[in-house]
Amino acid sequence: MPTILLLLACLAAFFSPPKPAKTYPVGQIKTPKGEILFWLYDETPNHKTSFMKLAKANYWDTLTFNRVINNFVAQGGCPDTPAGFSDSPYLLKPEFVPTIRHVYGAVGSGRDNNPEMLSAGCQFYIVQNKKGLARLDDKFTVFGQVFKGMNVVDAIVAVKTDKTDTPLEPIKLDVNVINLTAAELKKAGYVVK
């Protein structure tokens, strides 16, 4: 009898479906210029959660990259107003991390000049300066890093703009969070640490 049980256990293990591979949430921005993918940092949990929540709610899908400056940033989401970010659904406390800097491709959260350095939940930017923007470190929260699509960002900041740095032809956003396995991430250019 124990032999039959052992045989049945082996058969059950053999025919059991394999466990699905672990996946990781990745920011995805689809634009008329192409797709941008970026890693979302666990080290900035409130900004990561906020981005995922608003992306799932399709918050940005009626908005644009509203401020683009070559050698600086591509900024999208709710536009700046004289009153600051009064249209933002909420503000977030800063999450400055000494090991996460404003390097080329860094994804950060916009804010106005409020003294608490609170981030607007509605706005993000991507650093396009190849040397980075160290002057923004510990003043604006970086919550992601582009690993695919910086050529798209470069194309976005190269478009013609008006005097407020708004593209003359709107660059619409389609913002999502997609789940990729470590193998899929590696194929796209990111190695999970």
Side-chain angles (χ1 to χ4, degrees):
M1 190 72 168
T3 307
I4 293 173
L5 290 175
L6 181 62
L7 181 62
L8 288 173
C10 288
L11 285 171
F14 181 76
F15 288 108
S16 296
K19 284 187 177 178
K22 180 177 178 177
T23 61
Y24 302 86
V26 170
Q28 177 195 54
I29 304 170
K30 294 192 278 185
T31 77
K33 302 276 183 197
E35 177 189 57
I36 302 162
L37 296 178
F38 58 95
W39 183 256
L40 293 163
Y41 289 122
D42 289 335
E43 295 89 338
T44 55
N46 295 330
H47 284 72
K48 177 180 178 177
T49 299
S50 172
F51 178 85
M52 292 172 62
K53 174 183 160 185
L54 292 177
K56 185 177 180 183
N58 301 313
Y59 178 84
W60 288 290
D61 294 355
T62 60
L63 300 174
T64 64
F65 273 109
N66 58 289
R67 180 175 177 239
V68 301
I69 304 171
N70 198 16
N71 258 341
F72 187 51
V73 299
Q75 188 170 316
C78 60
D80 298 339
T81 68
F85 295 106
S86 56
D87 289 340
S88 184
Y90 48 79
L91 299 175
L92 298 164
K93 289 183 180 175
E95 294 179 292
F96 303 138
V97 180
T99 55
I100 299 174
R101 306 280 89 181
H102 279 84
V103 298
Y104 181 65
V107 182
S109 192
R111 69 171 180 82
D112 58 17
N113 290 324
N114 70 81
E116 297 91 12
M117 297 187 195
L118 302 173
S119 303
C122 66
Q123 191 172 98
F124 60 86
Y125 59 86
I126 301 170
V127 173
Q128 191 270 332
N129 186 306
K130 287 186 170 53
K131 293 180 181 177
L133 295 169
R135 72 179 192 269
L136 302 181
D137 291 340
D138 302 318
K139 294 180 179 75
F140 295 82
T141 297
V142 173
F143 65 90
Q145 178 66 42
V146 173
F147 60 85
K148 182 181 177 193
M150 280 308 294
N151 60 320
V152 176
V153 178
D154 291 340
I156 289 169
V157 299
V159 301
K160 291 185 179 182
T161 61
D162 66 16
K163 63 183 179 187
T164 65
D165 303 311
T166 302
L168 295 179
E169 187 174 319
I171 301 171
K172 293 184 178 179
L173 300 171
D174 178 1
V175 180
N176 307 287
V177 173
I178 58 175
N179 292 299
L180 300 177
T181 65
E184 291 168 330
L185 280 162
K186 186 175 181 182
K187 189 175 178 182
Y190 186 85
V191 176
V192 178
K193 295 168 184 110

